[in-house]
């Protein structure tokens, strides 16, 4: 067999260049970041024993502390449920308004799009700090911070799902003379409901985890007692709280995986 | 009666979908539109129920110029005109029944339809229509569990449930294999004959067009280049419409 | 049209489904009542008394940002970006072997596979703040502790996402490679990697966006980033400066989201 | 107990790391100690890096592991550190002409409380707000004082029986605001937190009144790991003390840490804190 | 030469895929296997390159009993036996070239293949084979940008690049339309004739089987129920194999 080509490469030449260039840039910026953050992996590995010692010093967990943590844990879960519920409800109109399959007006679409981006942008700790200063300490600022934060994520996910739905199914409903609400109810909802539920559960898990941070700035929940125990250097108590939290998160994740499988 | 009076349509990107189309379709006719890909068949059909809006001319459906319609009026037009799509466009995750009954949306109040409060009559009608296309046994199945031909039959049932005066079908058999294609066309023909519903169908396959149409309209580049009874049509006619010899894939093949 | 068409009875399966849904609904209702009543009881409404005054005092100042300390803010934001970038890259690389470990279709032994999955759950649950403290202790306070924290916490989520990507690949391709005599490693590089790499990169970029936000909290425990500044500014009730910080973060994060969104679109 | 990995007695790193916990107990909290570090480096002829750590537990641990060589620790932070690691206090700060400060009890102006004695009668249906249980002025000193005064056995008794309940606010300003808002009836903060709030709450001086103070609390410290080279330790101490004669540095330190001057300190100065903590029967004994 | 000696295969769930199959296929033959769905056609074909493992009997490929093979030996067998699949099984995101060259994986060291260090000869061979199936113009296109027929041609090129002694094709045209199906079958036939590669193809369509096969093997319920030259085969034969009259959809239709 005789080739007429002089050189047949596996990749077209241009692509090879682009890939190499990208990789080099990624690596360069990486090393630049390592330099800027004064990363020193030799130091890290030579101090690995300290990491393990510290982890070990958290064991055995002080099981006697668990009863003190149950109350805050329950509070955390309740906060997360309430915040998730609020954001699930509010996100429905928001995500419809920021999906270009539903909203044809470009200005409206971009306004809500950017609003969502804005909400997702602000770190939860900043939100919590702000709400604490507005509403005082307690669980309300916590609920609000979580609501706003998860609302941004949830509405973004949902609106992206709505944008990927099959527009032909909507067209069919339109062609029967259905109005906007009917098109949404008969065409959009069945297509996005499973993802919607699964996102809701995902955000709930996220909220349970996030409430840890909230406690550090006076917005209630289990983070608050972790903060205190850390300040007293009571690592065995901290570990007990963490194990409780871990158990709760795994439980929630298992249940929500189960529910997710059922609906999707 | 549907009347196109000098209708043109230019898409926002400048493509001319229809060019000065003049044609009248009478009640109860079974018209098949043929033409190459891009000829404007879909544009023609979708103008009738205003899924696209002609940019020039007048288009009368039942004596009413539909080009200006908006909002409620437009929805009223659409309840009169049923549409069948190439890809069936069923809501995959909903049941066959829910898909079929959605044909009645235009006749039902928003609240009632959202709460699933259809009258007994409506539900019986939907079921009746599923029976007419022999698909009643799947009534509670999810739509995406059916084969292509079955799905298309559900979409016919949906349109029938709408009780339309006109049925538009945009390449209803393009995704189906030959035997199923014929089956679907037969159901369409049967309904056209039994209920006297004006039926306009886009087809790619000339043998099917000749077999089922009363009247054939040929399009090329947004213009009507042939219009006449199916009996007058020969292979030559198609070669004119297509501007090239007929090939094997222009035929669906027999049943 | 004749109308003898009353509907056929609903199949047994549907009835069961309806009962199941009812049970789920009742359980949900109970959970909701529990959660809301708990929250309402714990809520301290008296805090709303001064709400009006708080808003009048705080919001206007927040909206008149104070730029005098812009250098400090920018340095800290840049540091945050570097932490997130270096951390995410470490996580993205670490997550590959763990993703394969936790993917059902790659690991024959279900026990071994489940262990992988659980390991990733463990990693995702371990709070980054605690990990950050441990790293602050072991390598000293500063951005490096933040890099390590991000690197080790982000790979839990990335590993899980990677595993899901791997589980969704077209195994037929793998079969085709097997059929032409390729060995396992060749199959990995020719059959699996091309299928998953774009998604891997896309998820890594997505995670980078998250990590930018995540690295803001590391400052709480001395692991670098802008968190400390946020906290102190808030404690000083220096609202104009806080306003400036918020604006800066928003601008930076939106810019990064935009760029990485563009990149991700091109990847898949 | 002494653990920690710093067993080498003559720790003398090329780069000194100065860890800095922004003082909660002062009017303005600085977010950086860089000017101070620069000056120190100049004097010592060594690179000195300042890092700000908002959680002093992290700082204590990092010092225990010899990752931080100069620590700015509040009183209780030092007590905690010295109980766990071998650390040496070198200096303490002087603010407003004193090396100590006090905590105060604030209530709303219309409160029935006029002095701490009135708590006997009213505390039973009052909510007590404080920043954090590990705060010296916000919790430890007031708690010890109340327990002694009203003969209360332990903190649980104090928090759950003496008062109706407690509110943990996360900070002194939050405490004052919580009292102002009516979320709590009495709050304990450093003296006088109200001044930091006058901008946002112009009437706070009138709306909140102070009904009592605690005993003096030693000011925050400059602490080093005991493993640090003795000579270096001495140099550091002298460098800081020399700031007292340097008007420019005094200003910088005032800016950074609200310090007017730096004084020598010894471990005994903090016995009082240690005692307070231990004798109040805290649930966390310090030995 | 391929020899089945009393080969049986029981799937783990108890389904009997093959029942006492005895058959010999000579070098250079073009054999088509026909049979209803579930007859065991795939199982038969996939036993030859040990994608499935018979549970009883002996199966000789080139004089070697393949049933016991494992690891390296098994991979060596597979490099000798090329396979073509119904759904092409190309790596969608990789280029046509990369897909084709992956046919040489079995002949290339792991490290070289990971670093894409193929010899000039290998690359020339891959390109040559793309030319043989007339697809060379798409060489740097992504596989998923090609049509079904084009993808199947790439998969033929991939198999050719493997330089196999035997080609197995499991319903290579089931996903293609009639004209494309014929095209693909013609390429397979051409290669069989030019390179004398033994070719075994599963087909659902009896008209195609008769058109291309030298020899037809009919299967039913895991057993061989017919085996003879294509010239001897009549519609009757198929009715026997299928155990029912021939229907329209058993035919692919002409080109
Ligand atoms: N939404 C649109 N925007 C712009 N141009 C369009 C749009 N829809 C169709 N066109 C163009 O209008 C012309 C007519 O399209 P139309 O869909 O009516 O053709 P068709 O005959 O239905 O073709 P096919 O058989 O492929 O469905 C084509 O050139 C097409 O590219
Ligand atoms: N992996 C498997 N596990 C269990 N049973 C299997 C498996 N693969 C095939 N079978 C069963 O073995 C029998 C033969 O299957 P095979 O796939 O060989 O049939 P086929 O003739 O190729 O059918 P088709 O035309 O549908 O591809 C069938 O009953 C099938 O259900
Ligand atoms: Mg069309
Ligand atoms: Mg098969």
């Amino acid at each position: 067999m005789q080739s007429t080509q002089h050189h047949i490469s596996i990749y077209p030449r241009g692509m090879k260049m682009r890939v190499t260039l990208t990789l080099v840039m990624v690596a360069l910026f990486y090393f630049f970041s390592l330099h800027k953050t004064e990363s020193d992996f030799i130091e890290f590995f030579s101090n690995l024993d300290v990491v393990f010692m510290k982890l070990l010093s958290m064991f055995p967990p002080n099981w006697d502390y668990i009863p003190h943590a149950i109350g805050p844990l329950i509070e955390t879960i309740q906060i997360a449920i309430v915040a998730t519920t609020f954001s699930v409800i509010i996100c429905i109109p928001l995500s419809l308004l920021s999906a270009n399959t539903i909203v044809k007006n470009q200005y409206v679409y971009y306004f809500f799009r950017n609003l969502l981006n804005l909400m997702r942008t602000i770190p939860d700790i900043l939100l919590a700090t702000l709400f604490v200063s507005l509403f005082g300490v307690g669980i309300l600022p916590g609920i609000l911070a979580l609501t706003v934060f998860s609302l941004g994520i949830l509405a973004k996910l949902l609106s992206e799902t709505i944008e990927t739905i099959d527009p032909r199914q909507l067209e069919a409903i339109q062609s029967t003379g259905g109005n906007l609400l009917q098109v949404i109810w008969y065409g959009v909802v069945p297509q996005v409901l499973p993802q919607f539920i699964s996102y809701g559960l995902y955000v709930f898990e996220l909220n349970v985890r996030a409430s840890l941070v909230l406690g550090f700035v006076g917005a209630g929940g289990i983070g608050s007692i972790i903060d205190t125990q850390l300040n007293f250097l009571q690592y065995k108590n901290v570990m007990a709280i963490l194990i409780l939290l871990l158990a709760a998160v795994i439980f929630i994740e298992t249940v929500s995986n189960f529910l997710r499988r059922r609906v999707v | 009666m549907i009347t196109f009076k000098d209708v043109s349509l230019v898409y926002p990107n400048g493509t001319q979908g229809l060019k000065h189309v003049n044609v009248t379709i009478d009640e109860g006719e079974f018209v098949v539109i043929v033409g190459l890909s891009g000829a404007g068949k879909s544009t023609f059909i979708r103008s009738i129920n205003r899924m696209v809006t002609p940019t020039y001319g007048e288009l009368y459906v039942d004596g009413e110029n539909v080009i200006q319609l908006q909002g409620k009026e437009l929805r009223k037009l659409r309840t009169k005109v049923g549409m069948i799509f190439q890809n069936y466009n069923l809501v995959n995750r909903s049941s066959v029944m829910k898909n079929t009954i959605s044909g009645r949306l235009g006749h039902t109040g928003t609240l009632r339809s959202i709460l699933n409060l259809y009258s007994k009559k409506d539900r019986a009608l939907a079921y009746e229509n599923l029976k007419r296309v022999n698909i009643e046994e799947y009534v509670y199945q999810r739509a995406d569990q059916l084969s292509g031909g079955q799905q298309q039959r559900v979409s016919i049932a949906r349109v029938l449930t709408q009780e339309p005066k006109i049925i538009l079908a945009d390449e209803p058999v393009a995704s189906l294999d030959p035997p199923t294609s014929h089956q679907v066309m037969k159901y369409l023909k049967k309904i056209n004959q039994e209920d006297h519903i004006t039926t306009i169908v886009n087809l790619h396959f000339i043998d099917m067009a000749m077999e089922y149409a009363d009247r054939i309209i040929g399009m090329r580049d947004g213009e009507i280049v042939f219009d006449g009874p199916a009996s007058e049509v020969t292979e030559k006619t198609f070669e004119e419409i297509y501007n090239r010899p007929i090939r094997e894939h222009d035929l669906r093949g027999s049943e | 049209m004749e109308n003898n068409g009353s509907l056929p009875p609903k199949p047994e399966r549907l009835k069961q489904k309806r009962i199941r849904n009812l049970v789920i609904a009742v359980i949900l209702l109970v959970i909701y009542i529990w959660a809301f009543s708990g929250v309402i009881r714990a809520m301290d409404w008296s805090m709303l008394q001064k709400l009006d005054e708080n808003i009048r005092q705080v919001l206007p100042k927040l909206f008149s940002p104070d730029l005098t300390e812009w250098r400090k803010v920018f340095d800290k934001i840049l540091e945050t970006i570097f932490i997130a970038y270096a951390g995410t890259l470490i996580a993205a690389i670490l997550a590959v072997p763990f993703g394969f470990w936790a993917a059902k279709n790659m690991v024959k032994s279900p026990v071994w596979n489940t262990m992988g999955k659980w390991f990733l759950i463990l990693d995702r649950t371990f709070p980054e703040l605690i990990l950050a403290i441990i790293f602050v202790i072991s390598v000293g306070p500063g951005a490096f502790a933040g890099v390590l924290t991000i690197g080790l916490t982000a790979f839990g989520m990335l590993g899980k996402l990677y595993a899901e990507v791997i589980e969704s690949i077209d195994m037929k391709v793998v079969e085709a490679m097997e059929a032409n005599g390729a060995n396992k490693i060749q199959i990995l590089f020719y059959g699996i990697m091309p299928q998953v790499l774009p998604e891997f990169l896309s998820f890594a970029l997505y995670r980078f966006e998250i990590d930018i936000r995540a690295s803001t909290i590391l400052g709480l425990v001395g692991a670098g980033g802008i968190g400390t500044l946020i906290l102190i500014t808030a404690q000083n009730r220096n609202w104009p400066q806080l306003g400036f910080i918020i604006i800066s973060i928003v601008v930076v994060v939106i810019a990064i989201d935009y760029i990485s969104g563009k990149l991700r679109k091109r990847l898949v | 107990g002494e653990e920690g990995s710093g067993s080498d007695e003559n720790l003398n790193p090329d780069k000194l790391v100065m860890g800095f916990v922004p003082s909660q107990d002062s009017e303005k909290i600085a977010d950086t100690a860089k000017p101070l570090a620069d000056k120190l480096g100049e004097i010592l002829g060594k690179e000195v890096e300042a890092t700000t750590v908002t959680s002093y537990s992290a700082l204590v641990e990092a010092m225990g592991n010899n990752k931080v060589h100069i620590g700015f620790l509040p009183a209780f932070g030092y007590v905690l550190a010295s109980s766990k690691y071998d650390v040496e206090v070198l200096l303490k700060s002087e603010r407003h002409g004193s090396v100590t400060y006090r905590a105060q009890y604030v209530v709303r102006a219309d409160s029935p409380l006029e002095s701490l004695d009135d708590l006997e009668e009213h505390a039973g249906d009052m909510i007590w707000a404080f920043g954090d249980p590990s705060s010296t002025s916000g919790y430890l000193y007031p708690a010890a004082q109340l327990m002694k005064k009203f003969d209360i056995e332990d903190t649980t008794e104090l928090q759950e029986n003496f008062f109706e309940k407690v509110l943990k606010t996360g900070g002194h300003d939050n405490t004052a605001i919580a009292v102002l808002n009516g979320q709590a009836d009495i709050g304990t903060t450093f003296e006088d937190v109200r001044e930091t709030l006058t901008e946002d709450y112009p009437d706070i001086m009138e709306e909140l009144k102070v009904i009592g103070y605690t005993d003096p609390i030693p000011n925050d410290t400059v602490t080093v790991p005991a493993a640090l080279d003795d000579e270096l330790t001495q140099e550091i101490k002298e460098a800081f003390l020399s700031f007292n004669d340097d008007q420019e540095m005094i200003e910088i330190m005032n800016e950074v840490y609200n310090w007017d001057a730096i004084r020598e300190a010894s471990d005994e100065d903090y016995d009082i804190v240690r005692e307070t903590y231990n004798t109040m029967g805290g649930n966390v004994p310090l030995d």
Side-chain angles (χ1 to χ4, degrees), chain B residues 164-249:
Chain B
K165 294 191 150 179
I166 300 165
I167 289 182
L168 308 173
D170 196 356
E171 302 193 12
V173 298
S175 310
L176 303 175
D177 58 83
T180 320
S181 301
H182 282 284
Q183 208 184 37
V184 166
M185 286 306 291
K186 273 189 188 141
Y187 280 118
L188 283 177
K189 185 79 188 179
K190 178 178 143 203
I191 284 152
N192 166 257
Q193 287 172 341
E194 286 176 6
D195 302 4
H196 299 288
I197 301 179
T198 317
T199 307
I200 306 174
V201 182
N202 276 355
L203 283 182
H204 259 137
F205 302 104
I206 58 182
D207 50 348
M208 291 195 105
M210 285 163 72
E211 192 169 341
Y212 296 97
D214 297 336
R215 171 178 169 189
I216 288 180
I217 292 178
M219 295 190 72
R220 191 168 66 224
D221 285 341
E223 289 174 298
I224 293 190
V225 293
F226 175 86
D227 186 352
S231 51
E232 277 177 21
V233 169
T234 63
E235 198 159 299
K236 191 92 204 313
T237 322
F238 280 106
E239 301 204 344
E240 274 169 30
I241 298 174
Y242 286 6
N243 224 354
R244 61 157 174 77
I246 298 301
R247 305 207 188 111
E248 201 254 352
H249 65 248

Side-chain angles (χ1 to χ4, degrees), chain D residues 61-127:
Chain D
E61 292 289 353
M63 287 182 73
N65 193 34
N66 293 334
K67 287 295 162 193
V68 169
H69 312 107
I70 305 170
F72 285 56
L73 285 172
F76 182 59
Y78 167 71
V79 167
L80 213 50
S82 66
S83 76
K84 199 167 175 196
Y85 298 107
D86 207 358
V87 294
E88 186 182 340
V89 60
L90 301 183
L91 305 147
K92 61 189 171 193
S93 60
E94 181 182 307
R95 286 201 184 97
H96 312 302
S98 164
V99 291
T100 60
Y101 68 109
R102 293 186 298 181
Q104 66 182 15
Y105 296 81
V106 288
V107 296
R108 276 183 303 282
D110 58 9
S111 166
L113 301 178
E114 291 299 338
S115 75
L116 288 183
D117 299 326
D118 298 336
L119 274 173
E120 178 96 71
E121 184 185 341
H122 295 287
D125 40 46
M126 285 193 159
I127 298 174

Side-chain angles (χ1 to χ4, degrees), chain A residues 170-183, chain B residues 49 51 71-83 102-110 113 158 162:
Chain A
L170 306 189
E171 203 170 50
I173 307 285
Q174 252 164 24
S175 79
T176 65
N179 61 29
L180 185 64
L181 264 177
Q182 287 171 326
V183 169
Chain B
N49 67 344
M51 300 302 281
K72 213 177 163 123
E73 302 253 276
L74 180 58
R75 288 203 294 278
K76 223 174 99 201
L77 165 71
R78 286 178 180 164
T79 58
K80 279 199 302 207
V81 186
M83 192 155 193
S102 78
R104 291 222 68 75
L105 284 178
H107 300 274
T108 313
T110 311
S113 62
R158 173 172 65 189
Q162 200 179 325

Side-chain angles (χ1 to χ4, degrees), chain C residues 73-151:
Chain C
V73 173
F74 268 60
D75 281 351
K76 282 294 169 192
I77 286 186
L78 274 183
E79 188 178 76
T80 307
I81 294 175
F82 291 136
I83 293 175
Y85 184 82
T88 309
L89 199 65
I90 293 172
I93 292 166
L94 264 183
V96 175
F98 284 93
F100 277 93
W101 181 17
K104 251 204 298 280
N105 52 350
M106 292 292 130
V107 179
K108 291 258 157 55
S109 144
V111 178
W112 187 229
N113 174 245
T114 310
M115 272 173 60
K117 283 197 155 67
W118 278 64
F119 184 83
L120 291 176
I121 293 183
L122 199 74
D123 183 69
R124 266 177 295 143
T125 316
F126 202 84
E128 42 200 356
L129 273 181
I130 310 280
L131 208 61
I133 290 177
I134 291 176
F135 286 129
V136 165
I137 296 167
S138 69
V139 301
F144 183 41
V147 172
L148 292 172
T149 308
I150 297 286

Side-chain angles (χ1 to χ4, degrees), chain A residues 134-138 140, chain C residues 40-54, chain D residues 108 127 165 167 177-185:
Chain A
L134 287 180
F135 296 94
V137 296
L140 183 63
Chain C
I40 289 171
R41 232 179 312 116
M43 195 87 82
D44 183 358
W45 300 106
S46 57
M47 69 176 76
L48 297 179
Q49 282 174 13
K50 291 271 174 180
L51 177 62
D52 185 44
E53 187 177 337
N54 288 350
Chain D
R108 276 183 303 282
I127 298 174
K165 65 180 197 196
L167 179 65
I177 295 167
V179 175
L180 193 66
N181 284 353
Q183 287 179 266
D185 304 291

Side-chain angles (χ1 to χ4, degrees), chain B residues 12-186:
Chain B
N13 65 0
T15 319
Q16 186 134 22
L18 296 178
K19 289 184 197 154
H20 306 288
V21 170
N22 280 292
V23 75
T24 297
I25 293 167
D26 280 326
E27 220 147 290
E29 274 193 292
F30 194 109
V31 181
V32 170
I33 322 274
V34 294
L36 285 176
S37 187
K41 305 183 297 295
S42 297
T43 310
F44 178 86
I45 269 204
R46 295 160 66 84
S47 297
I48 297 172
N49 67 344
R50 277 287 312 288
M51 300 302 281
V52 296
T53 308
T55 45
Y56 187 82
E58 293 159 35
L59 202 174
Y60 293 93
V61 175
D62 270 352
E64 182 182 28
N65 187 352
V66 301
I67 294 186
Q68 316 295 342
L69 296 187
Q70 275 202 328
K72 213 177 163 123
E73 302 253 276
L74 180 58
R75 288 203 294 278
K76 223 174 99 201
L77 165 71
R78 286 178 180 164
T79 58
K80 279 199 302 207
V81 186
M83 192 155 193
I84 293 168
F85 303 84
Q86 171 178 344
N87 293 304
Y88 338 127
N89 295 16
L90 299 183
V91 179
N92 279 332
R93 287 215 186 81
S94 295
S95 71
V96 164
M97 187 62 192
K98 194 155 179 197
N99 269 291
T100 312
I101 202 106
S102 78
R104 291 222 68 75
L105 284 178
H107 300 274
T108 313
T110 311
L111 197 66
R112 289 175 70 92
S113 62
I114 285 177
L115 297 176
N116 270 324
L117 297 173
Y118 291 93
S119 68
K120 206 171 164 178
K121 216 175 106 233
D122 284 357
R123 275 180 301 196
L125 175 64
Y127 187 63
E128 198 53 44
N129 287 323
L130 287 171
K131 271 160 103 180
R132 280 182 83 183
V133 293
N134 278 320
I135 198 92
E136 75 273 18
E137 58 183 304
Y138 299 110
V139 57
Y140 294 125
Q141 208 105 322
R142 265 170 60 150
D144 55 4
Q145 290 169 352
L146 304 185
S147 73
Q150 291 168 334
Q151 290 197 34
Q152 195 58 294
R153 271 140 71 194
V154 173
S155 99
I156 295 177
R158 173 172 65 189
V159 160
L160 288 178
T161 308
Q162 200 179 325
E163 297 190 310
K165 294 191 150 179
I166 300 165
I167 289 182
L168 308 173
D170 196 356
E171 302 193 12
V173 298
S175 310
L176 303 175
D177 58 83
T180 320
S181 301
H182 282 284
Q183 208 184 37
V184 166
M185 286 306 291
K186 273 189 188 141

